[in-house]
Amino acid sequence: MQPQDVAPRPAPSAASPADPVVDVEQAEAALVEHYPRLVRLAYLVLPPGLGRSRRVLTAHALTQRALPRSRTPAPVIPAQPAGGDGDPGYALVRLRVVRTALEAGLPLGLRAWPKLSQLPPLLPRVRGLKLVPRSGGADELALDQRLSTVSGAGRAAYVLRGLEKLPDDEVRRLLGAAGVADADAALREADEVPGQYALLGSPEFDPCSLQARPTDLMRRRQHTRAALVAGAALVVCGALLGLPGDGTGPDGAAAPPYAQNRAAQAALDPGRLTRIAPAAWKTSARTDFSVWPARGDLTGDKALLRRALAVWARPGGGVSVSVTPGTPTGGPAGPPQLLYAGTVDSARVVILHDGLRIVRYAEPKDGTAGAALDFARTDGAGRAEANAVVLGRADGNIRYLTAPWVTKAAARDLTDPGADTRGLTLTDGVTSPLAGPAQEQSGACTSWNVLQVTDGSRTRLMTDLGELVPARLTTGRPGSAKDVSGAGARRTWAPYACSLGAVRGQGVRSVNAWQFAKQPLPGGAGDGAWVCTRAETWRGEGARVLAQFRTPGGVRGAVAAKAQDVPACGERDPQVLAGVLWKSEGGRWYLLAAGGPDTESIGATGGINDSADGNLLTTKAEQGAQAELKATLDDGRTIGGLR
């Protein structure tokens, strides 16, 4: 069990064996979910003398390097969450960001060898452009100039006060954990800067919303001339040596052929692509991707199809390749099935299926430079999962190609169960643009847009998680979960919609939300709701489970416990046990713990010792107390708290 507090506290300098630890996966989820907020924090702490462009790249580099390599002692076990601050994973990566940002501002001569954070970042890297935040007003400029006059520790204290809303005691502890020798002096420096904390959320200090400017054009011209001379020499050498095979001209961005055999060539022949009849799905015993017809205005463009197949088999160095976890990336074993070939916004897109994977090839309208190849595993997909595929993304919007049995499509905000849907047009199965799940630059989640599809009399909700195939949303007890189709199911999901951001890019097939308990709160404060969300993956392993608790009237649920690769809350073992520390309006602390309906009794040991019959435990506790939870099920089996 991981209790939660109002605000996280930095870790002591040495962790005892009993101290909690943060898994790499937990830290990664916090970093992904709150990435814009952490990058802004790093940008503001870095010395302005680096220049705006280098500050942007360094802030991104430091934030991306904040992920620990192994299980790490947590800075704190929070008691009651306040946004991301209640997550020990977030507290850890925030501490690492602040520490490295302070190190980046140290003079190079203090050490024999500089630290990595003091050097220009190798990644991310941009050539030929300067990326800088959008310009703010005179107030933002004055604040930036004033912050440049204080030390790095003073800037960190000011930003932690204003951006993270931490009280001075928490700032002092965090700075101490980050290596600041005199945190009190840093706070005194911060006191000298005008308290214009609202300006810290300005686009002036947002390294995730950027504008591009050219670098030194004269210097680039000189470098270009030298590169042209070297390139001409390479061309002459290449002409003398000759190219293997038939060259790569008709194959676009593909690498040179590595095999010339009949089976390999047949798989890459656009004339042998499998094309399904438009009405085949109506009489087929299967209703999945294998019965989708070929659609799009470029299904007859053999040159485009040849390039797509060739790049799939041999992606060149200039091709951007993305792969969902657990998906093989090799070429097709035989002629694949064509699902789509057409123009999508400013690109030509081809969607192919080989029974195991969906593969998307995209290239600009005006050439093949900048081609992209995306892989997603889809084996075992049924009618419920094979409803849509992402055709393209532009300016935060998504276009989907829907299944032939989908008769209507609409956009819905999952956080607002009572809001009306926004109808989407369907043109040959292609939807009009749908705004993807969005978060504010500060990292706060205010809405979560999902795709609603209608299949006959049945509706389903699918959510984009940054991959080719959207994930199916369900509700109910594991083993009997159903699609989110009614108002009650939408109300179950609404407080926990924003937690979906923690499973982006993980190859998620479906996510189920199950309210496994309601718990009366002490003092007649109403009933708290316990919900377990489980994200299943296409590859089978890597399932992620969150136990979340919501107090009466709360807009969002709070993560009480999380785990990965455990059977809890799943069809194989629909059992779960979790607990949280809760503070009443009168200021008294309680341990609240709950299990599923099959729980016979719950016991707590360690810092709290108590037990109760049934699936609920409520007992008095001290702030920050730690406890080990155990539950006995109706069948006599014993389970521990989710972790």
Side-chain angles (χ1 to χ4, degrees):
M1 183 196 71
Q2 294 180 346
Q4 301 189 350
D5 205 319
V6 174
R9 294 165 295 178
S13 56
S16 69
D19 286 339
V21 294
V22 175
D23 291 325
V24 176
E25 293 82 1
Q26 185 178 1
E28 179 189 18
L31 192 149
V32 172
E33 182 178 357
H34 301 286
Y35 184 80
R37 178 174 169 185
L38 291 165
V39 177
R40 185 187 290 262
L41 174 63
Y43 181 84
L44 285 162
V45 175
L46 285 168
L50 292 177
R52 299 176 74 200
S53 181
R54 181 172 166 184
R55 278 174 78 191
V56 165
L57 298 180
T58 302
H60 282 276
L62 297 182
T63 304
Q64 292 170 18
R65 291 202 297 262
L67 187 67
R69 296 181 181 273
S70 60
R71 287 164 59 89
T72 305
V76 67
I77 291 296
Q80 240 171 249
D85 297 343
D87 184 352
Y90 176 75
L92 174 63
V93 293
R94 178 177 63 185
L95 172 61
R96 293 169 69 94
V97 166
V98 172
R99 179 186 294 133
T100 54
L102 290 172
E103 291 173 352
L106 297 176
L108 288 175
L110 295 181
R111 293 166 52 93
W113 294 98
K115 291 192 174 184
L116 184 60
S117 57
Q118 295 177 271
L119 301 175
L122 295 177
L123 289 173
R125 194 166 186 175
V126 179
R127 294 178 180 273
L129 287 175
K130 290 182 179 179
L131 298 180
V132 296
R134 300 182 181 277
S135 298
D139 292 339
E140 288 89 342
L141 179 60
L143 177 60
D144 195 33
Q145 291 175 343
R146 186 67 184 86
L147 287 173
S148 68
T149 63
V150 301
S151 67
R155 281 192 302 275
Y158 185 88
V159 175
L160 290 171
R161 275 178 177 172
L163 190 64
E164 294 292 286
K165 305 291 191 283
L166 296 182
D168 283 0
D169 288 344
E170 304 298 333
V171 173
R172 189 177 291 107
R173 292 192 188 100
L174 197 154
L175 290 178
V180 175
D182 191 347
D184 289 325
L187 286 167
R188 288 194 296 271
E189 278 192 273
D191 290 336
E192 298 175 1
V193 181
Q196 299 171 300
Y197 297 131
L199 296 180
L200 297 179
S202 164
E204 171 80 21
F205 306 117
D206 183 5
C208 290
S209 179
L210 305 170
Q211 55 186 359
R213 294 291 184 268
T215 54
D216 190 326
L217 298 178
M218 292 299 295
R219 181 176 298 176
R220 283 174 53 188
R221 183 174 298 174
Q222 295 170 355
H223 290 175
T224 301
R225 289 172 183 167
L228 288 174
V229 173
L234 288 175
V235 169
V236 172
C237 293
L240 293 174
L241 294 174
L243 296 174
D246 297 327
T248 61
D251 292 344
Y258 56 84
Q260 299 289 344
N261 62 72
R262 292 183 179 180
Q265 293 302 311
L268 304 182
D269 183 355
R272 298 195 181 189
L273 285 171
T274 302
R275 299 171 187 252
I276 305 300
W281 66 274
K282 296 180 180 179
T283 56
S284 173
R286 299 176 59 175
T287 47
D288 53 22
F289 291 113
S290 68
V291 294
W292 279 31
R295 288 169 286 180
D297 59 332
L298 298 177
T299 55
D301 189 338
K302 287 192 174 182
L304 171 64
L305 299 177
R306 181 181 298 278
R307 290 194 297 274
L309 290 167
V311 172
W312 179 357
R314 323 183 295 277
V319 178
S320 174
V321 180
S322 71
V323 185
T324 58
T327 305
T329 59
Q337 175 189 352
L338 177 63
L339 303 186
Y340 183 86
T343 304
V344 181
D345 297 322
S346 60
R348 292 187 290 261
V349 175
V350 178
I351 305 289
L352 300 164
H353 177 240
D354 69 349
L356 172 67
R357 302 164 292 177
I358 293 287
V359 179
R360 175 184 178 271
Y361 170 79
E363 65 181 27
K365 283 183 180 179
D366 55 357
T368 61
L373 189 67
D374 305 304
F375 293 87
R377 185 169 173 173
T378 58
D379 51 315
R383 186 164 183 152
E385 295 94 358
N387 282 296
V389 172
V390 172
L391 274 185
R393 307 174 193 272
D395 300 326
N397 296 320
I398 307 168
R399 287 186 188 270
Y400 291 97
L401 176 67
T402 58
W405 52 81
V406 171
T407 55
K408 291 182 182 178
R412 178 180 288 280
D413 182 1
L414 191 60
T415 65
D416 189 353
D420 293 334
T421 60
R422 182 176 67 84
L424 302 174
T425 60
L426 285 176
T427 306
D428 198 18
V430 179
T431 68
S432 52
L434 159 67
Q439 291 187 331
E440 294 180 356
Q441 294 298 325
S442 64
C445 174
T446 57
S447 65
W448 192 275
N449 291 332
V450 295
L451 173 68
Q452 177 175 295
V453 295
T454 301
D455 171 6
S457 60
R458 178 177 299 173
T459 60
R460 294 187 176 94
L461 294 187
M462 317 289 289
T463 182
D464 174 58
L465 294 177
E467 297 170 328
L468 279 181
V469 181
R472 176 191 179 195
L473 297 179
T474 60
T475 57
R477 181 184 174 91
S480 58
K482 301 183 183 303
D483 285 294
V484 180
S485 58
R490 293 196 299 271
R491 283 194 295 271
T492 298
W493 253 114
Y496 314 101
C498 292
S499 67
L500 289 167
V503 292
R504 286 182 187 267
Q506 301 301 313
V508 173
R509 177 176 188 156
S510 63
V511 189
N512 184 59
W514 172 40
Q515 182 172 307
F516 62 89
K518 272 193 171 184
Q519 185 163 17
L521 299 180
D527 291 342
W530 285 96
V531 167
C532 181
T533 59
R534 181 180 176 93
E536 300 284 1
T537 67
W538 288 99
R539 64 192 184 278
E541 61 182 13
R544 297 195 177 191
V545 182
L546 300 179
Q548 304 189 59
F549 180 72
R550 183 170 70 98
T551 55
V555 178
R556 300 284 180 264
V559 176
K562 58 181 71 174
Q564 183 168 335
D565 284 324
V566 296
C569 223
E571 188 169 347
R572 287 180 54 194
D573 188 16
Q575 307 298 337
V576 63
L577 174 64
V580 69
L581 288 181
W582 177 79
K583 185 179 180 181
S584 69
E585 290 185 359
R588 185 178 295 277
W589 287 87
Y590 294 87
L591 168 65
L592 307 177
D598 299 332
T599 303
E600 182 179 88
S601 63
I602 299 176
T605 58
I608 303 172
N609 289 280
D610 203 351
S611 62
D613 293 332
N615 69 327
L616 301 175
L617 171 64
T618 303
T619 185
K620 293 179 181 179
E622 297 295 331
Q623 179 179 1
Q626 306 266 335
E628 186 78 16
L629 293 177
K630 294 288 184 183
T632 302
L633 305 180
D634 292 339
D635 60 6
R637 189 159 54 98
T638 300
I639 62 172
L642 186 69
R643 61 177 60 198

